[in-house]
Amino acid sequence: MNSTRTSTHAGFRRFIHAGDSGVIVSFADEPDMAVAMVRARRLATMVRSGDMDFANAVLDVIPGFNNIIIQYDPVYSSSSDIIKGVEPLLADIGADELVDSRHWIMPVLYGGEGGPDLEDVAEKTGFPPEEVISRHLSRQLTVAIMGFMPGLGYLKGIDPALTLPRRSSPRKRVPALTLGIAMDQSVIYPLTSPGGWNLIGKVPVRIFEPRRDDPILFRPGDRVSFRRVDDAEFTDLNQRAEAGETILHPASTMDKGEG
Amino acid sequence: MHSLRILTAGPHASIQDRGRPGQQWLGIPEGGVLDRDAFALGNALVGNPADAAVIEVCLGNFSAELMTRAKVALTGTSAGTLTVQDPGGHSMTVEANRSVDLAAGRIIRLGVIPDSNTATIAISGGVDAPLFYHSRSTSPSAGIGGFDGGFLQDGQIIPLGVVETPDAAEWMASDTLKDTGQPIRCVRGPQDDRFTENALLVFFSAEYTVSPILNRMGMRLDGEVLEHRTNADIPSDGIVTGTVQVPGNGLPIVLLADHQSTGGYTKIATVITADMPRLARLRPGEGLRFTEVTVAEAEAIARQHHDRLGAVLAGLQLAPPIVDLAALYALGDTT
């Protein structure tokens, strides 16, 4: 019986097996978590671009917070092929933020029926609701990973003063396009679903629309800022989105800045 | 009209094919049939391309009326049978793992499947659901795929693909790749270091029972609790099908085709790809054990399994005609 750990160290990165269909490249040993996250995103982009040996063996590249998992089919390739293909990429991976990520400036209607937890968040953080909103508006977030449901991005980097756990009892029904916060992150629910985040607003942009050519708005690594809109503008944007109009375009696509 | 009218969908019947791998980075589940062996065999038996969409049935209690001539095959079970009823009310029994050529107007019925949680009904022409990210598979938890993103409903009419040159040949398989009783093979990790030595010993030796909480996303197991070194939380990372996740209560959950693409619980082990069809056949209340293999062993087993499946598909034989006792008796009455 093999009892050794199925992992290999190489500096601050580690290869870990996920059965016979996944190789995890982990940056968890990187002393700086922010660097680990950027490296994971950079590597995911490089592997996805297909510019590596054994690129045909890669079925999917799924970013985690400080790692990526490369999925392969063991019938036609092997974990050693994947590792051979990835190792040269790791040699000069760097730690600059991605240059090809897009920047979205997302309109939000804060509070009211669409953000039923705004008062609660204000109470728990000790800020007036207006300051909760201005603090949420103050940061540019990054789509660290996606998951839970189609198109849901975990937007990392909110003001630490807004850090709260998820609600102790999740709601059975959170309407689609509700904006929530928890921990150091924000999410927008793509679909109506159960959910445990603190709900502070709603957005009119369809972040998941199966009938659209590209159904999903976010990509891992994209940057997201928020823009406050009033009832009238929200209603207008929402009606246009409902009619199938594209109401949000990336503000930039080649911005190297880490705002 | 090339279609099938669902009479009773039973619990959780859905349209499936191989799923949509490659989209998990966008949060879209891989999805697809729970039992890939049954899927491959079913399509081969009815003469379909390997990627044609089928009906995946959970537990059974499914019936439907063919609105067109078609070949049908039930796979993923050895003991289950299809009952075929003609418009005159006569019925005949069709064993699993063979195809049968049926005229329009025939009703097919599947009772409770005695030996499997899931089974596949393949129909010649395939189910003609719209493609979404290259697949017709339904992932009901994400509301995508199939016809409306959900499970099949009673009374629903589903279109079938057109078979250009239908023939009457009926086929059977000699081997259904059903190895019962053997432990389910796993590679340890990715977070085996978050568990105590004892937890790993227990996981690879104790008997677990399939819990009634079983769906296309995951199979919960009841049995001995697995102890974490500290806690069950990790920074979320990507997940492959077969991952054995252990949340804070210490009871393992094997993640199946519709699992979420990322998750934040420790994973003690990962079921090897070759054993996923066998796992998917286990029913609530059934017992199972896990045994450990290395990655290299698992990859070799995957290739052997693929070759064995290939040999089964290449070695299909013409099936003997079904003796339709009811029709014989009916004939007897008139002479």
Side-chain angles (χ1 to χ4, degrees), chain A residues 7 41 43-44 66 74 79 82 115-116 121 128 155 180 189 198 241 243 258:
Chain A
S7 65
R41 281 202 294 278
L43 183 62
N66 57 10
S79 52
I82 298 289
V121 169
L155 313 177
Y189 287 87
N198 306 287
E258 253 295 75

Side-chain angles (χ1 to χ4, degrees), chain A residues 1-6 14 16-22 24 48 59-67 69 71-79 145-152 154 191 208 210 214-216 218-220, chain B residues 18 21-30 36 132-133 141-144 187-193 217 235-241 243 260-263 270-274 291-295 298-299 302-303 306:
Chain A
M1 183 69 55
N2 166 47
S3 62
T4 56
R5 291 267 301 129
T6 50
R14 202 159 21 128
I16 306 169
H17 293 281
D20 61 344
S21 67
I24 295 170
R48 185 164 292 285
L59 290 183
D60 202 352
V61 187
I62 314 160
F65 280 117
N66 57 10
N67 59 45
I69 185 161
Q71 200 190 347
Y72 66 96
D73 185 338
V75 172
Y76 302 105
S77 61
S78 68
S79 52
I145 66 170
M146 300 187 70
F148 185 59
M149 60 177 69
L152 184 140
Y154 291 88
L191 299 167
F208 174 58
D214 182 355
I216 289 182
F218 295 138
R219 296 287 180 276
Chain B
R18 269 299 286 262
Q23 318 303 332
Q24 284 203 82
W25 70 303
L26 301 176
I28 297 180
E30 182 171 6
R36 288 184 173 183
F132 179 65
Y133 281 102
S141 50
I144 57 171
V187 174
R188 66 167 59 196
Q191 283 100 33
D192 49 304
D193 56 345
M217 297 178 76
S236 281
D237 60 7
I239 292 172
V240 296
T241 299
T243 292
Q260 294 171 8
S261 59
T262 53
T270 311
V271 176
I272 69 172
T273 52
T291 190
E292 184 177 6
V293 295
T294 65
V295 176
E299 290 175 344
R303 292 188 270 274
H306 179 77

Side-chain angles (χ1 to χ4, degrees), chain A residues 237-256:
Chain A
L237 288 169
N238 195 44
Q239 282 170 354
R240 285 158 53 193
E242 188 61 41
E245 188 181 329
T246 303
I247 57 167
L248 186 66
H249 297 276
S252 69
T253 54
M254 292 296 286
D255 184 349
K256 290 188 186 186

Side-chain angles (χ1 to χ4, degrees), chain A:
Chain A
M1 183 69 55
N2 166 47
S3 62
T4 56
R5 291 267 301 129
T6 50
S7 65
T8 319
H9 287 265
F12 287 131
R13 41 259 186 184
R14 202 159 21 128
F15 294 110
I16 306 169
H17 293 281
D20 61 344
S21 67
V23 173
I24 295 170
V25 188
S26 170
F27 297 91
D29 300 332
E30 195 74 60
D32 183 342
M33 176 70 170
V35 171
M37 286 176 51
V38 171
R39 291 214 161 127
R41 281 202 294 278
R42 286 184 66 91
L43 183 62
T45 306
M46 291 160 89
V47 174
R48 185 164 292 285
S49 75
D51 190 16
M52 62 177 250
D53 291 342
F54 301 104
N56 289 340
V58 176
L59 290 183
D60 202 352
V61 187
I62 314 160
F65 280 117
N66 57 10
N67 59 45
I68 67 169
I69 185 161
I70 303 172
Q71 200 190 347
Y72 66 96
D73 185 338
V75 172
Y76 302 105
S77 61
S78 68
S79 52
S80 60
D81 286 354
I82 298 289
I83 292 170
K84 272 182 226 156
V86 169
E87 263 175 338
L89 304 182
L90 289 169
D92 55 357
I93 184 164
D96 298 333
E97 194 46 90
L98 299 164
V99 294
D100 60 347
S101 70
R102 298 166 302 173
H103 181 200
W104 304 100
I105 301 176
M106 180 66 67
V108 183
L109 177 63
Y110 285 98
E113 275 177 35
D117 295 334
L118 181 63
E119 296 288 336
D120 194 36
V121 169
E123 196 171 302
K124 284 177 177 156
T125 56
F127 300 124
E130 279 301 314
E131 186 165 353
V132 170
I133 293 169
S134 62
R135 282 177 181 269
H136 189 257
L137 284 165
S138 70
R139 298 292 176 109
Q140 177 180 287
L141 312 184
T142 304
V143 181
I145 66 170
M146 300 187 70
F148 185 59
M149 60 177 69
L152 184 140
Y154 291 88
L155 313 177
K156 220 168 162 65
I158 68 169
D159 185 332
L162 297 182
T163 303
L164 287 175
R166 275 172 284 195
R167 293 167 58 84
S168 50
S169 58
R171 285 189 170 82
K172 288 204 172 68
R173 184 179 180 280
V174 174
L177 304 182
T178 303
L179 172 73
I181 59 170
M183 300 160 290
D184 63 342
Q185 296 156 44
S186 225
V187 295
I188 299 165
Y189 287 87
L191 299 167
T192 299
S193 71
W197 292 55
N198 306 287
L199 310 178
I200 61 168
K202 59 180 177 178
V203 308
V205 178
R206 273 52 177 171
I207 62 168
F208 174 58
E209 172 47 76
R211 287 161 296 189
R212 200 162 56 204
D213 284 345
D214 182 355
I216 289 182
L217 186 77
F218 295 138
R219 296 287 180 276
D222 280 359
R223 289 156 296 129
V224 182
S225 307
F226 299 98
R227 175 174 77 83
R228 189 177 188 180
V229 297
D230 60 16
D231 263 310
E233 189 179 357
F234 180 90
T235 304
D236 173 55
L237 288 169
N238 195 44
Q239 282 170 354
R240 285 158 53 193
E242 188 61 41
E245 188 181 329
T246 303
I247 57 167
L248 186 66
H249 297 276
S252 69
T253 54
M254 292 296 286
D255 184 349
K256 290 188 186 186
E258 253 295 75

Side-chain angles (χ1 to χ4, degrees), chain B residues 33 99 101 119 187 269 327:
Chain B
V33 283
S99 52
D101 185 35
V187 174

